[in-house]
Amino acid sequence: MSAYDRLTDQELTTLLKQGDNQAFTAIYHRYKGVLYLHAYKRLQSKEDVNDLIHELFTTLWQKRDELNITQLSGYLYTAVRNRVLDCIARKQTESNYIQAFQQFIDTGEAVADHRIREQQLAAVIEQEIASLPAKMREVFELSRKAHLSHREIAERLDLSELTVKKHVNNALKILRGRLTIILLLISLLSS
């Protein structure tokens, strides 16, 4: 146990504002576990929660001298809650865009210009899928194109269901990031 572990939150906060690395480390170790659990209850995604916690502590360090923290635990819990709400809102927005895009594709009422863009976008999506790592691509295509369940894919490829789920989630995360940028550019160009 280090001397920093015995300090109060207020003492650690004061040292943090002075740029003390060890105080930051003590705060991190004191709160990362409970903040992780707090965020995981809402998000149910280890990757999202790990990213959120990392971002929170990075911001805490980078803005340490600007922060007005009266109660450290309250500040951290509020910051996690706000980031969780932002994450949920972002995912909902992404989902709405994907649903709207899928609905657009399904209606088939697009004019020739839109059909050309749709074909170009479909080609870009296929390129992005093709650029995924081989095993991830194979799992993703079995899930999304062959409509197999995680269990069926796991049995077919002799993988665990958890591995299949990770491959699908990682593929979706990669594709969302790449396609969000592409969709934004297309919408800007068509305006």
Side-chain angles (χ1 to χ4, degrees), residues 39-52 82-100 144 165 168-170 172-174 176-177 180 183:
Y40 188 79
K41 286 179 187 176
R42 293 291 308 270
L43 296 178
Q44 298 291 310
S45 166
K46 290 180 181 180
E47 283 183 350
D48 288 341
V49 174
N50 282 330
D51 290 346
L52 184 146
N82 291 341
R83 281 175 168 76
V84 165
L85 294 175
D86 288 346
C87 185
I88 291 170
R90 186 177 65 248
K91 285 183 177 214
Q92 184 60 46
T93 301
E94 288 173 1
S95 176
N96 290 344
Y97 278 121
I98 290 171
Q99 286 175 354
R144 292 306 191 257
K165 182 178 179 181
V168 170
N169 287 341
N170 288 340
L172 287 171
K173 187 175 183 180
I174 291 167
R176 272 191 208 112
T180 300
L183 287 172

Side-chain angles (χ1 to χ4, degrees), residues 60-78:
L60 180 68
W61 177 254
Q62 290 173 342
K63 297 187 177 189
R64 65 190 175 276
D65 45 356
E66 302 169 23
L67 299 173
N68 184 15
I69 302 173
T70 55
Q71 183 189 15
L72 182 61
S73 62
Y75 171 83
L76 293 173
Y77 277 101
T78 300

Side-chain angles (χ1 to χ4, degrees), residues 9-76:
D9 283 357
Q10 189 61 45
E11 292 168 325
L12 287 173
T13 302
T14 301
L15 291 171
L16 172 70
K17 287 181 179 184
Q18 296 170 359
D20 190 315
N21 288 330
Q22 289 179 308
F24 173 77
T25 302
I27 292 169
Y28 176 80
H29 288 296
R30 185 175 291 178
Y31 284 101
K32 76 171 181 175
V34 293
L35 294 173
Y36 180 93
L37 292 174
H38 183 65
Y40 188 79
K41 286 179 187 176
R42 293 291 308 270
L43 296 178
Q44 298 291 310
S45 166
K46 290 180 181 180
E47 283 183 350
D48 288 341
V49 174
N50 282 330
D51 290 346
L52 184 146
I53 297 296
H54 177 76
E55 176 189 311
L56 169 66
F57 280 102
T58 299
T59 302
L60 180 68
W61 177 254
Q62 290 173 342
K63 297 187 177 189
R64 65 190 175 276
D65 45 356
E66 302 169 23
L67 299 173
N68 184 15
I69 302 173
T70 55
Q71 183 189 15
L72 182 61
S73 62
Y75 171 83
L76 293 173

Side-chain angles (χ1 to χ4, degrees), residues 78-170:
T78 300
V80 164
R81 185 195 68 220
N82 291 341
R83 281 175 168 76
V84 165
L85 294 175
D86 288 346
C87 185
I88 291 170
R90 186 177 65 248
K91 285 183 177 214
Q92 184 60 46
T93 301
E94 288 173 1
S95 176
N96 290 344
Y97 278 121
I98 290 171
Q99 286 175 354
F101 181 68
Q102 187 62 48
Q103 185 178 15
F104 173 76
I105 290 171
D106 292 343
T107 60
E109 297 174 5
V111 293
D113 186 45
H114 288 140
R115 287 188 181 158
I116 291 170
R117 287 188 202 154
E118 179 183 318
Q119 291 170 350
Q120 290 172 336
L121 184 58
V124 169
I125 291 170
E126 286 303 318
Q127 279 181 311
E128 293 300 332
I129 291 172
S131 72
L132 292 172
K135 185 59 76 175
M136 185 185 296
R137 181 181 65 244
E138 182 179 15
V139 169
F140 183 78
E141 287 177 338
L142 288 172
S143 172
R144 292 306 191 257
K145 292 181 180 178
H147 306 290
L148 298 180
S149 70
H150 289 179
R151 177 175 287 154
E152 292 169 327
I153 297 168
E155 290 172 2
R156 182 179 283 193
L157 299 179
D158 195 29
L159 299 170
S160 73
E161 283 185 59
L162 181 61
T163 300
V164 169
K165 182 178 179 181
K166 284 183 181 179
H167 278 308
V168 170
N169 287 341
N170 288 340

